[in-house]
Amino acid sequence: MNFSEPVIDFDIPPSMPRGGNRLSRWLGRCLLHSIGWKLRGALPDEPKLIIAAAPHTSNWDFIIAMGTIMSLGIRISYLMKKEAFFWPFKGFFLWLGGIPIDRKAASNTVDQIADWYSTHEQCWVVLTPEGTRKKVDKWKTGFLRIAEKADIPVFVVAWDYPSKTLQMLPCWQTTGDHAADADAMRDMINAHFVARHPEKQ
């Protein structure tokens, strides 16, 4: 394979928050190629959204996600406890996309992340709806409440280990019923995609 060729079959939208450089994109493509993974689907042309990534059952999910983020040149934000943002690591964690969350604050996590969106022109935040790599009966609904509060789309990404494909799915049309939306999204993911550990799915 020629590593100068993209491993993606869709365009990079102009509104997507960008990160990295030519070297990091090349390294991301090398990583995905070395483990045999490919990307499918389309990235939404949205400056702000929340990414629901599932089914999450393994640390390998993170490695595949990092290869994808690097190869596409996306700047992805993620949640970290506020206590981790101390010198000399604060600037580094912010550069990586970390969002400091104060678990002791009067405002809850949903409000804090919604406020973060309001102060950033471009922001894609990734969450795993299960909230753990263990088997769960229900998805957490925090990502849907964040989407509603910040008035942003929910972009769905799925790992499928049998085909070694990370699938970019259309943005989910939420109904306002967070529990019903989470159940419907989980049923759709489980019906079409298989985790590294299916028994935990």
Side-chain angles (χ1 to χ4, degrees):
M1 175 182 178
N2 182 354
F3 288 126
S4 64
E5 296 177 352
V7 295
I8 54 176
D9 57 1
F10 44 83
D11 296 327
I12 302 301
S15 295
M16 181 188 81
R18 302 303 299 267
N21 52 40
R22 291 182 64 183
L23 175 60
S24 61
R25 290 192 293 272
W26 180 81
L27 289 173
R29 291 194 292 267
C30 290
L31 173 58
L32 292 178
H33 176 67
S34 68
I35 59 178
W37 275 71
K38 54 187 177 293
L39 314 178
R40 290 289 181 266
L43 290 166
D45 190 13
E46 298 283 350
K48 300 179 184 183
L49 53 76
I50 192 158
I51 303 172
H56 177 45
T57 65
S58 167
N59 285 328
W60 271 99
D61 301 340
F62 174 77
I63 296 172
I64 296 160
M66 285 305 302
T68 300
I69 291 167
M70 293 169 64
S71 68
L72 296 175
I74 307 175
R75 178 174 172 78
I76 295 293
S77 296
Y78 55 92
L79 311 185
M80 292 181 66
K81 61 182 180 179
K82 183 180 179 181
E83 290 76 13
F85 289 79
F86 61 88
W87 190 89
F89 302 109
K90 179 179 179 180
F92 178 66
F93 287 147
L94 289 172
W95 178 77
L96 286 177
I99 300 176
I101 298 298
D102 187 353
R103 297 176 180 175
K104 299 178 181 178
S107 58
N108 61 30
T109 300
V110 170
D111 290 335
Q112 291 181 60
I113 301 172
D115 288 343
W116 184 270
Y117 276 107
S118 69
T119 59
H120 291 74
E121 293 184 2
Q122 291 181 310
C123 187
W124 286 15
V125 178
V126 64
L127 293 174
T128 53
E130 300 96 334
T132 178
R133 294 189 302 274
K134 299 177 182 178
K135 184 175 178 60
V136 296
D137 295 326
K138 294 282 186 180
W139 277 7
K140 295 180 180 296
T141 59
F143 71 103
L144 292 164
R145 290 184 284 120
I146 293 168
E148 180 181 62
K149 182 83 174 180
D151 192 22
I152 56 172
V154 177
F155 177 42
V156 184
V157 175
W159 291 278
D160 186 54
Y161 276 80
S163 67
K164 289 190 172 183
T165 301
L166 189 66
Q167 182 71 46
M168 315 291 175
L169 300 169
C171 288
W172 189 267
Q173 296 300 313
T174 57
T175 65
D177 186 333
H178 303 140
D181 283 340
D183 287 345
M185 197 178 300
R186 182 172 185 252
D187 289 344
M188 182 273 294
I189 290 288
N190 288 344
H192 295 94
F193 306 102
V194 179
R196 179 172 175 83
H197 300 293
E199 70 278 6
K200 297 180 181 180
Q201 197 167 335

